[in-house]
Each structure stands twice: as C-alpha cells, then as structure tokens.
Amino acid sequence: MPEPEICADDEMFFRRRGGVSLDLGTGALRLTIGSEVSFDTYFNLFNLGVWTVRTRLSGLALHLAGSGRVSVRLLRGSIINEPPEPDSDEQLDHDKTRLTRDQSVIHEAEYDLAEEGIEIPLAKLLGALDETGEVPAQTGLVHLHVAALEEGARLTAGAWLADASPEEPSIRLAMSVTSFRREAETAATARRVTAFIDAEGPQLGAQLDLIIVDNGQTLDLPPHPHLRLVPNRNLGGSGGFARGLAEARTGGHTHVLFCDDDAAFMVESLRRTIAFLRLARSTRAAVAGAMISAGAPWAMWENGATFNRVCRPQFLGTDLRHADEVGRMELSSARPKPHNFYGGWWYFAFPLSAVTHDPFPFFVRGDDISFSLANDFEISPINGVVSFQEDFSAKESPHTLYLDLRNHLHHHLVHPNLEIGPLGTASIAWRFIARSIVRMHYETAEAQLLAWHDLMKGPALFEDEIDMSARRKKISSLIEREEWRETAPLSSDAPPPRDPGPRWGKWYLALLNGHVVPFWSLLGRHATVPVRLRSAVWPIWRARQATFYDADGRKSYTVTHDKRRAWAIIWRSARATVRWLRNYSALREAHRAGYARLSRPDFWEKQFGEDSAKSVSHQMNSDKEST
C-alpha cells in the first residue's frame, strides 16, 4: 500500500471503482457494496516471467486478510505477437505496435474474508500438476480483482506466498549504504530498516544486517544489534561500497545490497528481494532495483539499463499509473538480458560468491556499470522494488560530466565485449564535448577534455587520484559561469521552447547551434530553461544565451555564445584525437592490466589504511550469536 513519505500516488498501487477508501494509518481498504478494486499495478501484480522462470515456486498461493463477503477474481495477462529478441545494442523498451496483452480469468469465487487471512491455492491454476506443486516456468502477469458483496467489506492485507523448501540455502544479507554528509537522510534510512528488522526479522527466513559506511565521518546513530557504522576515508561511492563489501565478507554474509544514502525505498522492497534471492534457481542471481525521479514520481526513470557507447535506461518515461503501460513494461522486462545489462547502485543486490572483481576506483559515476559488466551476475528487475531519487539532471555539473566521459571511455577500453576500436571510442569523446559546446557549456567541455587527457595517462591516474582531491580542485578552477547563484525568483510556470523535432534538430546540430554562423550573437535568442531539461539539447536551439534555473526558481546561471572559445576547444580536441589514435593499443592493454589490479580486495585494503582498523560504533552480532 502507499507510504505517504515515499510515494502516495494510489494509482501506482491499486485502481478503484465506486466507494473505495484507503486508511493511510493502517493501509486498509474499505469497500461499499458494489465497489471494486484492482491490483494490476506496478507495485502489486505478479510477474510469472520473473518468478517462475528465475525462482523455484512451490505451493504458490494468494493470501488475503480482512472482513466481509467479497468476489475475488484472478486475471492473467499474456503476450501475443511477441517481438524478436533484442541484441545487446538494442533498447529493451516495449514496442507498443508489436507487444500487446491478452487478459483471461483463471479463477473467480466468493469468499468471506477473515482477519487472520485466507489462502487461495494458485499452483494448479498455473499448471503445477505433480506432487511437488512447483509452478513450471512460464510468462504472463497475474493480478487480483476484488468486488464487495456487502457493505463495509475491508481488505487489510494481501500477499503472494510460496513454500520455502528446507533445501533452500540460508541467506544472510548485508545492506551496505555509503553516506557522505547526508546525516538526516541516512538516519531516516537507518530508522526505517532497523524497525523493519525488529518487526519482521524472524519471519524473513534470512538475516538482514545494515552496514553504513560513513565517508564524511559525521554520523552519530543509535546503537542496534544489526547495525554497523563504519567511519571511512572519503574515496567516493566506489570506495564506500568497496568498504561495505569488505565488511560483508568479514561478517559471513552470503549476499550484499548496495544502496545510495539519498535513495528512498519502501521496506517491502527488502522483503521481495530476500524472497527472490532465497528461491533463485541460479547462484548468480542478482536484483536490480528500478529508479523513479522525485520530480516525476509517477514515471519510470530506469528499470535496469544497458551500456554501449551511452547508458540506455530501460522503459524511461513509462507512466506507472496506466495499466497497459505497466503491463507492456513487465511483460518485456521479464525477457532474458543481454551481456551489457546492468543495475544502478541506488539498489543492487547480488551474491558474494559471484563477485570476481570488486568496485573499480572511479570515485563516483560508472562504478555500478563496470561492476555489472565485470561480474557474471544474472540480473533481474522485480516490480515494486524501486528507489525514489533526485533527478539526475539536477546533479549534472562539470565535475560529474568529467567523470561520465572518463568512465564511458574506460568501459570500452577494459571490457572485451565492448571493444569498438580507436575511432569508435574517439567518437564518444567528440559526442560528449560537442554536446557541451552546442549547449554553450564551455567550462564543462574543458572538464571533459581534461578527462580524455587524464585517461591517456594510464591506469595509475585512478590510483594516484583515488580521492579525486586534486582533480576536484582543478575542475573547480575552470568553473565561473556554470555555477549556481542566488537570483531573483524565476517563474517555473513559463513553458519551455518546443522541441523542433529530428528534422530541424539535425540542421541545428550540423551548424553547431550557431557556432559556424556569422553574427550569431545578434541573430540568436535568449532561452530560459528549467533544471529538469538542463541535460537536453533542444531547449537551447537558436539561442545565443541561456539561463538555467532550479526547481524553486531561486538559483540560476547563464551561459553565452562564444565562438572563439568553442573553436579553441575543438582544435585541442582534434589534437587529443591524434594522440588517442596513435596510442590506443598500448592504452587499452595498460588499462586492462590496471583494471585487474585495481579491482582486487587487497588493493582496497591498502586504501582503507588506518580506517580499516578503527573500531566500529555499532558492532553487529557475531556469527555464533546470530546463529
């Protein structure tokens, strides 16, 4: 059910018709006679293609608790006109012209609900005919529909249940959160997770421990037997998660869950993740949590992603309030994943036994991509396992785009499956830099050019600059115009310019948005762009000047057309290209050797230094005590 502090949009959880009311305090639904509620939603449908194919499900049943007489229908949606399998370079997104759904009723009956709950067996309805009751692998979506047959019927709880076999391996999950000076957000996460452990620990069938790696060394949290607070040198997200991984190894954990300190997720995600890992068929099974931007909490931002030259978020923009869009996404996302599929570290759970490479010292940006590419995980998104986060556009800066270009080039250098040669990789750098020039973000372009030069220094750069202190100072010295400043409030209601479409966009791009047009400083317009569109190119087409403002309209910065600076950057990029092409083979071999060395546990132990020997503030139970 909705959690107001995380997500309160009813339509993402249930759909109602008639007199249906939700008690936010208890999560109970009250139905008047003749009213109906359906759970064909992102948070509550049951994806057979994920759960029956990738886990072993015996004794599958639907549990319902409440009071009053109701009509219960179970419906199944399946694929017709299934599209062909994608290759690794293709967007896995749903194709609305070829992927459609067919709905059928698999069960319908009347029940008297009880507070202790009733169970409706599902195994035979889904084709389990042998004595084990295991549901065979199949595709499709199952959802619940309830109609009230008497006044005041109540639905207080519901769950999809399966039997845990005694042969299933035990799970000990370490939830590792890396924090840097986000005291309030991290404390809130610690409260919610430890409360969940206290309330549900014995029923999880697994032990869950919380490890908070404090890169800022500013946290002070109440003690808890399942909480460990680890002061750590600020080595960025890479170093924080590497430290969490090391702590999990010494703690005897079988699985690790990486989470960002600014990620907000419902604790139900933990329950589903543990169930999936316990029942998984593969010892390499991993869970990639989806991400929703806090700026548009009804739309999918990324349900897993692929990487090839660029990051391709899957199902970006899917409206989670619409049953058809959710259905198409879930039917498609259950399909096998290509080799370049990865999960973001806002929520990523994986088995320690499958880890052959620890995080690479990128500091931040790209470490999650590289970790998935280097380790042979079998990654699955699960509906309802999702993190709500700040929009990535709001985080964009010369610093982050320096890191973005560096990791994009690095992935193609070190991972053989992504080999695209010297010209292919050079084109990535040109695309990044040209995009910044077109957007008149010359300081960002300078930072990206610096990233390219830095990568040509070889893998020693990542070791020498592991804390990014010198590079952060260097990039900061480049920033003058692209820095947020307090300003008179700008209206956030003014509509942005319309997208000119691909036809006109190609012309603007060919002309570098006026950088090859004389007198552009007189011909161009002044664009005003909200932060949510900052990463897009089209809002500044035909602009000689652009003002970008934040969500509140109280901070902004302005960039101005400058041909001389643009062409100076283009000339230096051309010289960098010659150097890159000349040295590409040697660079590739050096970075591959460096990757093997810098993604080892012993490398990270040296970086932790004295911090690795510090006593922790909150010691978790020993293995003996936990057992």
Side-chain angles (χ1 to χ4, degrees):
M1 285 298 177
E3 292 186 24
E5 66 275 17
I6 305 294
C7 178
D9 194 329
D10 291 355
E11 293 179 287
M12 293 166 63
F13 297 83
F14 59 88
R15 309 181 204 285
R16 47 186 158 186
R17 190 174 71 177
V20 179
S21 59
L22 169 65
D23 183 338
L24 287 174
T26 63
L29 288 170
R30 183 178 295 275
L31 292 78
T32 60
I33 189 168
S35 62
E36 303 174 349
V37 61
S38 180
F39 295 92
D40 55 340
T41 59
Y42 173 65
F43 282 102
N44 282 312
L45 61 78
F46 190 75
N47 193 327
L48 296 171
V50 171
W51 287 92
T52 66
V53 173
R54 298 172 194 172
T55 70
R56 295 180 177 88
L57 295 183
S58 297
L60 187 65
L62 170 64
H63 172 87
L64 293 176
S67 61
R69 190 162 184 80
V70 297
S71 169
V72 172
R73 278 193 297 159
L74 290 170
L75 294 92
R76 176 173 177 167
S78 58
I79 301 174
I80 56 175
N81 301 324
E82 183 174 5
E85 290 294 322
D87 61 32
S88 62
D89 295 335
E90 186 178 296
Q91 179 83 347
L92 295 180
D93 212 340
H94 52 283
D95 185 329
K96 294 184 179 180
T97 63
R98 293 182 298 172
L99 183 59
T100 55
R101 296 191 301 151
D102 181 35
Q103 296 274 6
S104 59
V105 177
I106 60 173
H107 177 72
E108 185 169 15
E110 296 181 4
Y111 293 92
D112 291 309
L113 296 180
E115 292 298 340
E116 65 273 16
I118 62 170
E119 287 191 12
I120 304 172
L122 301 180
K124 289 186 178 180
L125 299 175
L126 297 172
L129 301 177
D130 60 15
E131 65 281 359
T132 67
E134 182 172 322
V135 179
Q138 55 194 287
T139 60
L141 310 175
V142 175
H143 77 265
L144 167 70
H145 181 95
V146 177
L149 298 179
E150 65 181 34
E151 195 68 29
R154 295 172 66 251
L155 185 61
T156 58
W160 307 103
L161 301 180
D163 293 334
S165 167
E167 289 78 29
E168 298 295 344
S170 60
I171 294 294
R172 190 172 179 188
L173 177 65
M175 177 180 170
S176 175
V177 176
T178 296
S179 177
F180 182 74
R181 296 180 181 172
R182 280 197 172 102
E183 294 84 0
E185 295 90 337
T186 307
T189 297
R191 283 195 301 272
R192 297 178 71 249
V193 173
T194 53
F196 173 77
I197 293 172
D198 290 340
E200 309 245 356
Q203 302 174 27
L204 288 174
Q207 179 166 323
L208 172 62
D209 296 314
L210 177 60
I211 300 170
I212 297 181
V213 179
D214 182 14
N215 279 356
Q217 302 190 29
T218 58
L219 290 172
D220 182 19
L221 300 174
H224 188 278
H226 290 274
L227 168 64
R228 173 175 287 177
L229 179 61
V230 184
N232 196 48
R233 177 186 171 197
N234 184 21
L235 302 174
S238 302
F241 286 119
R243 184 67 185 272
L245 197 60
E247 295 287 333
R249 287 192 178 107
T250 60
H253 294 89
T254 60
H255 292 73
V256 179
L257 168 62
F258 284 167
C259 291
D260 280 344
D261 57 354
D262 63 344
F265 60 88
M266 288 177 283
V267 290
E268 170 66 19
S269 295
L270 296 173
R271 186 182 292 108
R272 297 184 188 190
T273 299
I274 290 171
F276 184 88
L277 295 175
R278 287 187 69 200
L279 300 171
R281 296 179 186 271
S282 172
T283 57
R284 298 178 290 108
V287 175
M291 198 270 268
I292 294 174
S293 167
W298 44 265
M300 179 62 67
W301 180 278
E302 178 178 309
N303 196 23
T306 60
F307 178 85
N308 192 340
R309 294 177 173 83
V310 295
C311 301
R312 294 183 171 89
Q314 301 301 288
F315 310 103
L316 174 65
T318 297
D319 193 327
L320 301 177
R321 300 167 298 185
H322 295 169
D324 284 344
E325 291 198 39
V326 170
R328 277 190 288 264
M329 178 182 74
E330 285 301 313
L331 289 167
S332 184
S333 68
R335 298 161 66 198
K337 303 297 183 286
H339 68 84
N340 59 344
F341 189 86
Y342 70 91
W345 280 358
W346 46 78
Y347 192 104
F348 186 71
F350 56 92
L352 267 170
S353 60
V355 176
T356 56
H357 291 82
D358 277 21
F360 187 78
F362 284 116
F363 194 74
V364 294
R365 297 282 179 138
D367 38 15
D368 47 6
I369 302 172
S370 189
F371 191 68
S372 289
L373 295 175
N375 293 294
D376 188 21
F377 299 129
E378 190 174 290
I379 303 173
S380 299
I382 301 174
N383 62 287
V385 177
V386 60
S387 169
F388 292 80
Q389 292 206 181
E390 184 182 10
D391 194 323
F392 276 3
S393 297
K395 300 178 181 180
E396 187 175 286
S397 70
H399 291 91
T400 61
L401 290 171
Y402 164 93
L403 294 162
D404 275 345
L405 176 56
R406 194 176 69 167
N407 81 68
H408 276 60
L409 293 173
H410 188 265
H411 300 325
H412 284 285
L413 281 175
V414 303
H415 298 293
N417 286 337
L418 294 178
E419 173 66 48
I420 56 175
L423 286 174
T425 46
S427 69
I428 295 174
W430 273 99
R431 183 168 60 249
F432 269 77
I433 294 169
R435 176 178 171 273
S436 295
I437 291 173
V438 165
R439 296 171 60 246
M440 300 175 286
H441 281 63
Y442 308 113
E443 293 161 5
T444 294
E446 295 271 9
Q448 291 168 327
L449 186 56
L450 176 65
W452 199 4
H453 281 294
D454 281 351
L455 201 62
M456 286 189 267
K457 295 178 181 178
L461 169 78
F462 292 99
E463 187 169 9
D464 297 339
E465 280 284 330
I466 191 168
D467 64 358
M468 279 286 291
S469 56
R471 272 297 166 266
R472 279 181 284 170
K473 291 179 182 177
K474 175 67 174 176
I475 296 168
S476 294
S477 71
L478 300 172
I479 303 172
E480 183 179 349
R481 290 183 174 273
E482 297 173 36
E483 183 175 5
W484 291 101
R485 294 178 174 86
E486 296 287 342
T487 185
L490 293 170
S491 172
S492 59
D493 299 326
R498 295 180 60 185
D499 188 341
R503 179 180 177 184
W504 287 105
K506 288 179 181 178
W507 278 105
Y508 294 139
L509 188 61
L511 297 173
L512 287 180
N513 197 32
H515 285 90
V516 296
V517 178
F519 308 111
W520 189 255
S521 296
L522 300 175
L523 299 173
R525 64 184 180 88
H526 184 174
T528 305
V529 185
V531 66
R532 70 178 185 277
L533 297 176
R534 178 167 54 160
S535 60
V537 175
W538 61 265
I540 52 84
W541 287 141
R542 298 186 295 106
R544 59 174 173 77
Q545 194 174 67
T547 297
F548 297 84
Y549 60 93
D550 68 1
D552 298 326
R554 297 186 179 277
K555 289 185 178 181
S556 69
Y557 68 88
T558 299
V559 293
T560 304
H561 183 87
D562 187 338
K563 281 189 178 65
R564 179 175 296 180
R565 189 168 186 184
W567 284 101
I569 295 170
I570 290 171
W571 169 245
R572 290 163 54 205
S573 299
R575 293 175 60 185
T577 303
V578 173
R579 181 182 168 197
W580 178 263
L581 297 179
R582 185 190 303 130
N583 300 324
Y584 177 80
S585 295
L587 279 170
R588 180 188 60 196
E589 298 311 311
H591 278 288
R592 288 186 180 180
Y595 191 88
R597 181 174 63 86
L598 300 179
S599 60
R600 291 173 53 88
D602 56 357
F603 163 77
W604 282 111
E605 286 295 333
K606 295 175 184 176
Q607 306 307 316
F608 301 146
E610 293 182 0
D611 283 338
S612 64
K614 284 184 180 179
S615 61
V616 297
S617 301
H618 305 73
Q619 181 67 45
M620 293 184 296
N621 293 336
S622 68
D623 290 344
K624 183 177 180 180
E625 290 170 336
S626 298
T627 302

